[in-house]
Amino acid sequence: MVLSLITLQFTNGIVQSLFFANDLPTIERIVIFILSVIVVYFTLKGLLWQLKGVREIRISKDNLKLSKISPLWTKTKTYNISEVKNIDIKDETVSEGPSAMLQLLRITDKIKITFSYGYETITATSGIDQTEAIELKDIIENKIGLN
C-alpha cells in the first residue's frame, strides 16, 4: 500500500518533469528517465512476487534447495542436508502496534519455518498458517531424517 502511494507520487513527478518542464536541461531529463526505469523495475518485481511468486522446497539425497520463483526472477539457495539442524516453527504474531497492522494486511508474515544452518538461522518458508506449518515441518523432518 505504502509502496503503491510512493510509486504513484514518483510516477507523477516523472511525467511532469519529462513532459511538462520546458526549462529542464536534457541531462536532467535523462537522469530522471534512468531513475524511473529503475523504480518501475523494482515495483514490477515486488508486484509480480505478490501476484505470482512461489516458494519451492526441494529435498534430494544430499541437498535442501529453497527457491523463490517469480515471472521476473528466480533465486535458489542450496543447503547441505548434513548441516541442517533444529527445524522450528516461529510464531511472530503481534497483537498491537504497527507490526500488527502489517500482519493484518498480510505485508509481513506471522508464522515462519526456520532451521539452523551452521551459525545462521534460515527461513525456509513463511506466509502459512499454523496447521500447514506443523505438517510441512513434519514432512521436512521426515525427508531429512531429523526425527
Side-chain angles (χ1 to χ4, degrees):
M1 176 81 166
V2 173
L3 181 63
S4 300
L5 292 174
I6 292 171
T7 304
L8 182 64
Q9 290 175 343
F10 190 74
T11 305
N12 181 33
I14 291 168
V15 169
Q16 286 186 4
S17 64
L18 286 177
F19 300 110
F20 299 112
N22 296 331
D23 58 341
L24 199 62
T26 305
I27 190 74
E28 288 182 18
R29 288 183 187 209
I30 292 171
V31 169
I32 290 172
F33 179 74
I34 291 170
L35 288 175
S36 66
V37 169
I38 293 169
V39 167
V40 167
Y41 170 76
F42 285 107
T43 302
L44 281 176
K45 183 178 171 184
L47 183 63
L48 288 173
W49 172 250
Q50 291 296 322
L51 296 176
K52 297 284 186 179
V54 176
R55 288 181 188 249
E56 182 178 81
I57 300 173
R58 288 188 182 198
I59 302 171
S60 64
K61 183 179 159 189
D62 298 324
N63 295 322
L64 169 67
K65 290 185 181 183
L66 304 177
S67 299
K68 293 181 180 179
I69 303 167
S70 170
L72 199 56
W73 57 276
T74 298
K75 183 178 179 182
T76 301
K77 290 188 178 181
T78 304
Y79 302 95
N80 189 345
I81 284 182
S82 64
E83 296 180 37
V84 173
K85 308 284 184 230
N86 303 327
I87 298 175
D88 292 319
I89 298 172
K90 290 194 175 183
D91 186 355
E92 298 179 347
T93 304
V94 179
S95 60
E96 55 187 52
S99 296
M101 182 59 72
L102 293 175
Q103 288 178 351
L104 283 173
L105 296 172
R106 295 190 180 266
I107 294 173
T108 60
D109 299 320
K110 300 175 190 178
I111 308 290
K112 297 178 180 181
I113 296 179
T114 63
F115 61 88
S116 298
Y117 188 77
Y119 296 108
E120 295 181 68
T121 300
I122 309 296
T123 299
T125 190
S126 58
I128 57 178
D129 63 23
Q130 187 71 28
T131 307
E132 290 174 321
I134 292 169
E135 290 178 17
L136 189 57
K137 178 186 174 197
D138 290 342
I139 291 170
I140 293 171
E141 284 179 339
N142 289 334
K143 292 259 186 179
I144 291 177
L146 287 178
N147 285 343

